[in-house]
Amino acid sequence: MVTRGFTGKGRTGGEDVRIPPGQHLVDDFPVLSAGPTPKVTPEQWSFTLKVGPKPVKKWAWDEFNALPQTKMTRGIHCVTAWSKLNTAWEGVLIDNILADAGIGEPPTPYMLAHSFDGYSTNVPVKDLTNGKAMVALRYEGKPLSPDHGGLARLLVPHLYFWKSAKWINGLQFTQKDEPGFWELRGYHIYGDPWREQRYTHD
Ligand SMILES: Nc1nc2c(c(=O)[nH]1)N[C@H]1C(S)=C(S)[C@@H](COP(=O)(O)O)O[C@H]1N2
Ligand SMILES: [Mo]
């Protein structure tokens, strides 16, 4: 399978240069974590795809890195009101993870992302597929730093950045839209920055 994202073409590469309502631009890259940064070595790292409770495929670090890699340059929008445009990422599209697991039609409409720090977040499958999201392995040409989710993080750039789970270790198909860490603590179940879906009742 050949997939290709936007490859650093900046403003002609399909990047949306608007900023969602209530957001301001920052030049630095803030770190926001609910707890300490987990230490995960390549030897300890693995990624598990589950359908409900049932594991369907598990990749070791080397196996995961052998999957097709795609570049994606996008704006990111944190619910604490900072945005950053044209951030350049590289990693494995969720489409390519599902394809490698032999999953054609998604078995359920929702997914939960799980992380090494116990964090989780829910995203509809349609927001993860068709080139919309990836498990990012590189940022601005370099391996992800530990504070920003290295070795690997989810990147769902069109939703608020809490949906982009750092230190991801798996994706799970769920029958229902099951709230994750922040969604259980008052944040919006979907989190569209363009509609300012910050909190549960927004
Ligand atoms: N595993 C995990 N992922 C996480 C978080 C976290 O605490 N743990 N925080 C989320 C929040 S609220 C935001 S805004 C972004 C911040 O990512 P950054 O630290 O790379 O800016 O990560 C998200 N992913
Ligand atoms: Mo956040």
Side-chain angles (χ1 to χ4, degrees):
M1 181 193 289
V2 178
T3 51
R4 195 167 290 154
F6 296 120
T7 51
K9 291 196 198 83
R11 295 185 175 213
T12 59
E15 166 71 307
D16 194 333
V17 295
R18 294 174 305 153
I19 302 165
Q23 298 291 111
H24 65 267
L25 288 178
V26 293
D27 288 325
D28 60 335
F29 192 173
V31 170
L32 282 133
S33 307
T37 294
K39 285 199 183 72
V40 186
T41 66
E43 293 72 32
Q44 294 163 331
W45 192 91
S46 67
F47 185 94
T48 305
L49 181 68
K50 291 183 181 177
V51 177
K54 189 170 157 258
V56 290
K57 185 146 184 168
K58 186 174 180 175
W59 295 263
W61 179 246
D62 287 349
E63 295 166 335
F64 198 83
N65 278 266
L67 296 176
Q69 308 257 329
T70 301
K71 290 179 178 170
M72 209 188 252
T73 298
R74 294 287 190 282
I76 51 177
H77 313 290
C78 176
V79 73
T80 62
W82 59 266
S83 287
K84 241 176 131 52
L85 297 180
N86 294 303
T87 62
W89 305 83
E90 187 170 359
V92 183
L93 291 179
I94 308 307
D95 301 299
N96 288 328
I97 297 173
L98 300 184
D100 196 60
I103 291 179
E105 271 307 296
T108 74
Y110 301 103
M111 295 196 101
L112 266 175
H114 297 280
S115 298
F116 283 101
D117 62 340
Y119 188 85
S120 61
T121 189
N122 57 302
V123 186
V125 176
K126 67 165 179 36
D127 289 274
L128 294 173
T129 51
N130 290 311
K132 285 192 172 149
M134 62 162 55
V135 171
L137 304 172
R138 301 177 73 78
Y139 173 73
E140 303 290 349
K142 294 188 209 106
L144 281 189
S145 69
D147 284 350
H148 286 301
L151 298 169
R153 81 179 296 163
L154 186 63
L155 177 69
V156 193
H158 67 286
L159 299 179
Y160 279 123
F161 208 36
W162 87 76
K163 296 287 184 181
S164 292
K166 302 196 277 190
W167 314 299
I168 191 169
N169 64 8
L171 279 169
Q172 178 184 25
F173 283 102
T174 60
Q175 221 44 260
K176 294 183 187 157
D177 201 5
E178 290 183 28
F181 182 88
W182 281 123
E183 296 82 9
L184 284 168
R185 290 164 176 78
Y187 285 85
H188 197 275
I189 192 80
Y190 181 64
D192 181 353
W194 302 98
R195 288 185 279 169
E196 276 203 84
Q197 294 174 337
R198 297 174 190 274
Y199 308 108
T200 304
H201 300 291
D202 288 347

